Amino acid sequence: MSAPGTRDVARVALVLVSHSHDLAAGAVELAGQMAPGVLLVPVGGTPDGQLGTDFDGIERAFAQATADGRSAVVLMDLGSAVLTAESVLDLADEDLVARVRLADAPFVEGAVAAAVTAHGGADLDAVLAAAEGAGRMYPVEKSDVVPTTLPDDGVVRETRTLLNPMGLHARPAAVISRMLASYDAKVTVNGVSAASVLALMKLGATQGTELRIEAEGPQAEEAVKVFVTEVERGFGEI
Amino acid sequence: MSVDVAWAIDWVRRSAQTISEHRDELVELDRQIGDGDHGENLDRGFRAVVAKLDALEEPPAEIGDVLKLVATTLMSTVGGAAGPLYGTAYLRAAKVTGAAELDSAGVVALLEAALEGIVARGKATTGEKTMVDAWSPAAEAAVAAADAGGSPADVLAAAAKAAAVGAESTVPLAATKGRASYLGERSVGHLDPGARSSELLLADAAAAAAA
C-alpha cells in the first residue's frame, strides 16, 4: 500500500463531530496538516451557530465522507455528540452503516492518529484502532518499548537499568511478581524467576544494575512490555 | 375505552405549550448541573413540531405517525442530548402505535417502548439521575394500572403521577451519566432537568386523555 498522493484521496475519511463549530474546524485543521490526503469533514455546533449537535449536519457529513466508496471513522467530543451520531446511524441505510465506525477515542489525539493512519492507506479497522489507541499515546511513548523477538528461540529479551534508589527491594519485587501473574509467559530476570518475590530480592540488584529480562510463552511480548514500563518508571518510586 | 389520533395531537400541542411555559425553569435546572440549554433546546424542538403539525393538510391516520413526526423533528432541531434521547423514545413508541386508537395495553406498550428507547440511547439505568428515573417508574405504574383494569386515561394518570415522584427522587442522587456526571457529588441536591421535562411531558399525556 502506498501513501496517497495529492491527487488521490485515502479510502477512509474522518468525520469530526463537535458541539462547537470552531473546535471541529480546528481539529480538522490540526489533523489535516499531517494528513493532506485524507478527507476530513467537520460538523460543529447547531445550524444557527450555537453550541450543540446538528443531526442533519451529521447526516450530510456521513453521506459526504462515505461517497465514492469510502468508509469513515467518526470522532465525537462529548456525550450528546455520541448520542446524535448514533441516532443518525439508527436511521441510516445499511450500506452506509456498514461503512461508518464511531470511535471511542479522545477527540483531538484520536483525530490526528486516525488521520495519519488513514493517510498511510490503512483500512477502516486500522484507522479505528489508531483513533481508539490514541488515548494511550503518552504512556506508550514514554516507555517506547519495542520488544525484540529472536526468531530462532522464541525468547523475548530486553535489558534495562534499575533506577530505584533503594534497589530491587520487597515492594518492587512484589509489584513484578503480581503484575506478571496475569500473563501467560515464563519470565526471568538475570536468570531467576520473576514470579518469585524472594528470588528477585536475592538478586540484590542495586540502583544502576542492568536487568536482563527474558520471556517465553504466548504473551511473552506483552509481559516484557509491561515489565520494562515499570522498570522505567522506577515502579512508581521515582 | 381508548385514546386516538386526536389525543396524540393534543398531547403534542400541550407538550409544546408546557415546555414553553417551563422553559426558564428547565434552563435554570440545567444551568445548575449541566450546560444550561435543556429548556431552550426543547422549546425550539417542540415549536418546530407544532409548526410541522400546523402544516399538515389533514391529520395523520395513526398515532404512530404523530409520534414519528415528533421524533424526527426533535432529533433534527433540539441540538442537545435531549434530541436523540426523546427522538429515540418517540421513534420507538411510534413503532408500536401503528393504529388509529390505543386501548390500555396499547398505552402501556407506548410507554414501555419509549422507556426502552431512552435506555438504549442513553445507556442509563435507574438511580443515575437521568430521564430514566422518571420514565421507569412511569412505565411500571402504567403496567399496574392496566392490570387493575384501568382505562387509558387511568393508565396515563398513574404514569404521570409516578413520573413526578420519580423526577423528585433525582434530587438527592449524584449523577453518573450525562454532562452532570462531570460534577459528581456536586450534582447532589439538584432536580435533574431531563427527569423534570419527562414528568411534564407525561403529565400532558394524562391531561390530554382526561380532557
Side-chain angles (χ1 to χ4, degrees), chain A residues 89-197:
Chain A
L89 285 184
D90 263 9
L91 298 177
D93 54 75
E94 284 175 28
D95 172 56
L96 188 142
V97 173
R99 289 187 285 131
V100 174
R101 297 284 183 280
L102 306 183
D104 181 5
F107 188 64
V108 176
E109 292 93 331
V112 172
V116 169
T117 306
H119 186 66
D123 65 14
L124 182 60
D125 288 340
V127 176
L128 179 68
E132 297 193 333
R136 292 179 294 280
M137 190 156 73
Y138 297 114
V140 170
E141 223 172 48
K142 192 179 168 192
S143 64
D144 197 25
V145 184
V146 184
T148 44
T149 308
L150 300 180
D152 52 352
D153 59 3
V155 177
V156 181
R157 297 183 173 82
E158 280 289 337
T159 302
R160 285 293 186 282
T161 304
L162 185 64
L163 303 174
N164 293 54
M166 304 286 288
L168 192 53
H169 62 95
R171 203 198 67 87
V175 169
I176 294 170
S177 70
R178 206 167 46 229
M179 179 178 73
L180 295 177
S182 60
Y183 291 88
D184 185 5
K186 186 166 172 280
V187 185
T188 64
V189 183
N190 293 358
V192 306
S193 170
S196 165
V197 176

Side-chain angles (χ1 to χ4, degrees), chain B residues 44-137:
Chain B
R44 178 173 58 237
F46 271 101
R47 277 174 198 276
V49 171
V50 167
K52 286 202 182 175
L53 276 181
D54 288 344
L56 293 177
E57 302 206 340
E58 52 188 86
E62 297 177 345
I63 290 170
D65 298 332
V66 179
L67 301 183
K68 190 173 179 195
L69 181 146
V70 177
T72 53
T73 309
L74 290 183
M75 276 190 190
S76 30
T77 55
V78 168
L85 287 167
Y86 279 132
T88 308
Y90 282 97
L91 198 63
R92 297 280 177 100
K95 284 184 180 165
V96 298
T97 52
E101 296 188 348
L102 298 175
D103 59 10
S104 297
V107 171
V108 169
L110 185 164
L111 296 173
E112 286 186 325
L115 168 63
E116 282 163 18
I118 290 169
V119 169
R121 179 62 63 228
K123 298 174 186 73
T125 181
T126 49
E128 296 189 305
K129 202 178 184 88
T130 70
M131 294 177 180
V132 176
D133 291 314
W135 281 91
S136 183

Side-chain angles (χ1 to χ4, degrees), chain B residues 175-209:
Chain B
T176 54
K177 281 275 163 26
R179 199 73 76 92
S181 65
Y182 294 117
L183 296 174
E185 289 296 321
R186 280 190 287 142
S187 64
V188 170
H190 299 283
L191 176 61
D192 179 64
R196 174 64 174 152
S197 62
S198 298
E199 170 195 354
L200 295 172
L201 296 177
L202 286 165
D204 284 327

Side-chain angles (χ1 to χ4, degrees), chain A residues 19 46-48 50-56 77-80 82-84 86-88 90-91, chain B residues 35 37 40 44 72 75-81 84-85 88 91-92 120-123 179 182:
Chain A
H19 281 63
T46 59
D48 57 353
Q50 304 292 307
L51 293 175
T53 48
D54 175 5
F55 183 95
D56 296 335
D77 68 346
L78 283 171
S80 357
V82 180
L83 300 189
T84 307
E86 285 176 349
S87 301
V88 170
D90 263 9
L91 298 177
Chain B
D35 48 8
D37 62 5
E40 194 177 321
R44 178 173 58 237
T72 53
M75 276 190 190
S76 30
T77 55
V78 168
L85 287 167
T88 308
L91 198 63
R92 297 280 177 100
R121 179 62 63 228
K123 298 174 186 73
R179 199 73 76 92
Y182 294 117

